[in-house]
Each structure stands twice: as structure tokens, then as C-alpha cells.
């Protein structure tokens, strides 16, 4: 019986891996410019971590976690997201200091037992950032502006943003109480999930998709109408900053997110090109989370995560994926007795920085040329008996179909000229 990949998981094959490499390299370069440092945390954690942070009644924790008992009967979970692990790590390694802001990023796989469909996998990948140690609105602006820059950098200019504020950690109990009062006369007619949300985190009622509940939600005030003065000031500062940076957004007063740890600003980036699973990224502020996990001080924090598969999907729809790089040189073997000399030359060229391929099946020259053009090598090199005797090498520009004879000693200069590189004995800089 053939063994196939597990439902909801996908292989990223060699013909698409270069897109991932490009996306990660572009991301790392951008994050460097914003002075974010990388953090890597384990792929699995104690189950309790996610129950305490994401919220027991959320879809992620109640239905979607990959949890298992290890050999010593401890419950572990494949991480469904990155934020909880980073908060745990910061507390564990005592990285929190008064008046110090830490900016970290991560890139890696996440796991949610969801119903697989377009844009929704069970193993998917996120890249995300967390700004830890500031409750200032300027940190929210920095996070959203980084997210906007990320989309611009990879060529997605028309990503849209929806944002909202859900009240601070301190004011949330009062906000919830008011909302519960408004909902009290409707809740018995709402779905079972909403009745649980009403008890555990009433704000999440806004997220219900059930038709009957939607009718009630229509009548509810926007969350902005329930906010206290300080929360309104914070949110206004955020929107003013975004306006100043020319970042367009829509305020969605009934937006809530599927993780319970959020406070104040929340936001989502979405694309019209994705259909039902339109969210490319989501994030927000989580000022209460450090305390919830036992930190000895109040820590303001804000961050976001981007769904990498969804971003690649949109780039693909727009036909905007980068082309794969092809070898610079294909070394044509002309005679078996030259093969050792060819290998030496290949090694020298690779050390200089050129990418070089040759035929590992040692076929005839016609088939080698066919392979060279199939893999889109830029230049073919041929050193037969005649050329060897005269210390020459034949160099064929495969795109222009031009052939020249070059002195072996001048080969690297000639290749640099044709390929517009600046390779020396070691290292290569594209010009
Ligand atoms: P999230 O909204 O749950 O937030 O996930 C962020 C992004 O991950 C989504 O917008 C989506 O693009 C992608 N995503 C989520 N689930 C799947 C899936 N099953 N298949 C494919 N893509 C998916 C978080 O995870 C928060 N930790 C973000 C955050 C960081 N908030 C503060 N800091």
C-alpha cells in the first residue's frame, strides 16, 4: 500500500521551494531594517500554555489542537500559533526589563486540526512579529506599518486592512458587563456556542456566523460605543499614526478575533483574491498575556502573523511569483578522458561563485546541450582535445547562440563579462 501525506498537509516541492526561499529572504531583510531579532521556540509545548492564553472556548483550543500524551503521560500540543510560546519564552528566560522594548520575529510551521480547504491547512506556516514592552500606540503603528511594508515589499500593494479596538485589559470586565446587559434578553434565542461565549468571553459573540445570531448582532452597538475614554484615546492615536503614514484601513466596529488574549487594537489584513479564507494576516495588542502567564510586571505587547501559504496563493493568482534562478554554466563533457579535468574546472568555477551544472549521466554532447537548454543554463563551456592543446576553452552564450574561443587563463573575466557578474577567485557580487 502506498503511504501518502497526511490530510491537510502538503509537500513544498523543489519547483516551488525557491518562492519560499525568496519570501523568507525578503522578510528577513525587511525585519532587519525595522531592527527585529529572530526567535525560535519549540514546535510543541505543554497543552496548558495554549489553553491558558488562546482561551479554552475558542475554536482553536476546543476543536483544533493537535494534542497528545507523551511517554510519561504529559499532555503536549503542536503549536497552533507563535505568540503564546514567545510570551512563555520571555518569562522563562527573564528577558523582560522595565523600559526595554524587545522586537522579535519568527518564521515556521503551525498546526491546527481544521477542515482542509483552499487556504486552510492543518500544517501551515506563519511569519510573525511581536513588539514586547510598550503599551504606547506608537508600537501598534510600528506593527501595522511593518505589515503594510511587508506586503509592498513582496509586490502586494492592494492588501486591505480592517481594524478595531476591544478595550484594555483593565476596562474589559466593565465592557463585558455592559455587553452582557444588552444581550441578556436575547441570549436564550442564540446558538449554544454563543451561550458559552456569553459566559466566557462575551465579545466573541460578535464573531458568530449563525443566521439567527447574526440578526441579534446587527442590533448590537459597535464595540467603539462601549469603549472607555483611555481606550478611545489610544485607538485615535493609532488611526492618526496610520493616516500620517498613508496606510489605508477600514474601521470595523464589530471586528473581534478568534484568540482570547487580545486587548485594545486588533487588525486583519485581507485580500479580495482569496474568497472565503480571505485573511492574509492578523494581529493585535495583548497587554494582559504576560501577567496571565505569571510575569511579575505589566507588559504591553503587540504583534501579528502572516499566513505564508495564503500570501503565496495570492501572488500566484496575480502571476507575480519570482522566477527560479538557473545555472550560470553548463560544462559539456567532450571526451571521457577529459572528465577529471572538467571536474577540476567545475570545482574552480564553483569556488569562484558561479553556479555550474553538468551531466551526471555522461551522455553524448547532443544530449548534454539539450539538457543545458532545458535547465536554462546561461553559458555552455566546452573543452575538447583541440582546445586543451591550445590552452583555450569554447564558451557558448546559450541565450544569444553566440560562440567564442577564449584563453583558459581569461575564462573568469570572460564569464563575468557575459553574465554581468563580478566574480573573483572567491565570492560573487551581481552588478
Ligand atoms: P491568526 O489570525 O490565528 O493569528 O493567524 C494569522 C494568519 O495565519 C491568518 O490570517 C491566516 O493567514 C493564517 N492561518 C491561520 N490558520 C490557518 C490555516 N489553518 N491554514 C492556513 N493559514 C492559516 C495568530 O496566529 C496570532 N498569533 C497573530 C498574532 C501575533 N497576534 C499577536 N501577535
Amino acid at each position: 500500500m502506498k503511504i501518502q501525506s497526511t490530510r491537510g498537509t502538503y509537500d513544498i516541492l523543489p519547483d516551488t521551494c525557491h518562492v519560499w526561499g525568496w519570501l523568507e529572504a525578503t522578510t528577513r531583510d525587511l525585519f532587519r531594517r525595522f531592527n527585529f531579532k529572530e526567535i525560535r521556540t519549540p514546535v510543541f509545548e505543554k497543552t496548558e500554555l495554549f489553553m491558558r492564553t488562546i482561551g479554552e472556548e475558542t475554536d482553536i483550543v476546543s476543536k483544533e489542537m493537535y494534542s497528545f500524551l507523551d511517554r510519561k503521560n504529559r499532555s503536549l500540543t503542536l503549536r497552533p500559533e507563535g505568540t503564546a510560546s514567545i510570551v512563555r519564552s520571555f518569562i522563562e528566560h527573564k528577558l523582560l526589563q522595565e523600559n526595554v522594548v524587545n522586537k522579535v520575529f519568527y518564521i515556521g510551521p503551525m498546526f491546527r486540526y481544521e477542515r482542509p480547504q483552499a487556504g486552510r491547512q492543518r500544517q501551515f506556516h506563519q511569519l510573525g512579529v511581536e513588539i514586547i514592552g510598550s503599551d504606547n500606540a506608537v508600537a501598534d503603528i510600528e506593527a501595522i506599518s511593518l505589515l503594510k511594508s511587508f506586503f509592498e515589499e513582496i509586490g502586494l500593494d492592494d492588501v486591505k486592512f480592517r481594524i478595531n479596538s476591544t478595550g484594555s485589559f483593565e476596562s474589559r470586565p466593565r465592557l463585558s458587563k455592559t455587553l452582557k446587559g444588552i444581550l441578556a434578553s436575547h441570549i436564550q434565542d442564540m446558538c449554544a456556542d454563543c451561550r458559552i461565549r456569553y459566559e466566557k468571553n462575551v465579545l466573541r459573540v460578535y464573531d458568530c456566523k449563525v443566521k439567527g445570531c447574526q440578526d441579534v448582532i446587527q442590533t448590537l452597538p459597535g464595540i467603539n460605543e462601549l469603549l472607555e475614554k483611555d481606550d478611545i484615546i489610544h485607538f485615535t492615536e493609532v488611526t492618526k499614526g496610520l493616516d500620517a503614514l498613508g496606510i489605508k484601513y477600514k474601521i470595523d466596529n464589530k471586528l473581534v478575533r478568534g484568540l482570547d488574549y487580545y486587548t485594545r487594537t486588533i487588525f486583519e489584513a485581507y485580500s479580495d483574491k482569496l474568497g472565503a479564507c480571505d485573511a492574509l494576516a492578523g494581529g493585535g495588542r495583548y497587554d494582559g498575556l504576560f501577567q496571565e502567564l505569571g510575569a511579575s510586571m505589566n507588559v504591553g505587547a503587540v504583534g501579528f502573523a502572516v499566513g505564508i501559504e495564503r500570501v503565496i496563493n495570492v501572488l500566484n493568482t496575480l502571476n507575480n511569483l519570482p522566477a527560479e534562478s538557473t545555472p550560470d554554466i553548463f560544462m559539456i563533457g567532450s571526451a571521457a578522458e577529459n572528465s577529471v579535468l572538467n571536474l577540476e574546472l567545475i570545482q574552480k568555477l564553483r569556488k569562484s561563485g558561479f553556479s555550474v551544472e553538468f551531466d551526471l549521466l555522461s551522455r553524448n554532447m547532443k544530449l548534454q546541450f539539450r539538457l543545458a537548454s532545458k535547465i536554462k543554463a546561461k553559458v555552455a563551456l566546452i573543452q575538447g582535445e583541440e582546445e586543451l592543446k591550445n590552452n583555450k576553452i569554447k564558451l557558448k552564450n546559450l541565450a544569444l547562440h553566440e560562440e567564442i574561443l577564449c584563453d583558459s587563463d581569461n575564462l573568469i573575466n570572460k564569464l563575468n563579462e557575459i553574465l554581468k557578474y563580478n566574480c573573483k577567485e572567491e565570492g560573487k557580487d551581481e552588478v
Side-chain angles (χ1 to χ4, degrees), residues 81 83 112 114 119 121 126 130 257 261-262 279-282 303 307:
E81 58 107 47
T83 312
R112 295 185 192 175
E114 296 198 75
Q121 298 88 41
Q126 287 185 341
E130 312 296 346
R257 305 235 324 115
Y261 51 61
Y262 289 111
L280 290 171

Side-chain angles (χ1 to χ4, degrees), residues 144-158:
I144 297 173
S145 108
L146 172 56
L147 184 55
K148 171 78 178 155
S149 302
F150 164 77
F151 287 123
E152 284 173 355
E153 205 75 10
I154 60 165
L156 289 181
D157 293 329
D158 69 341

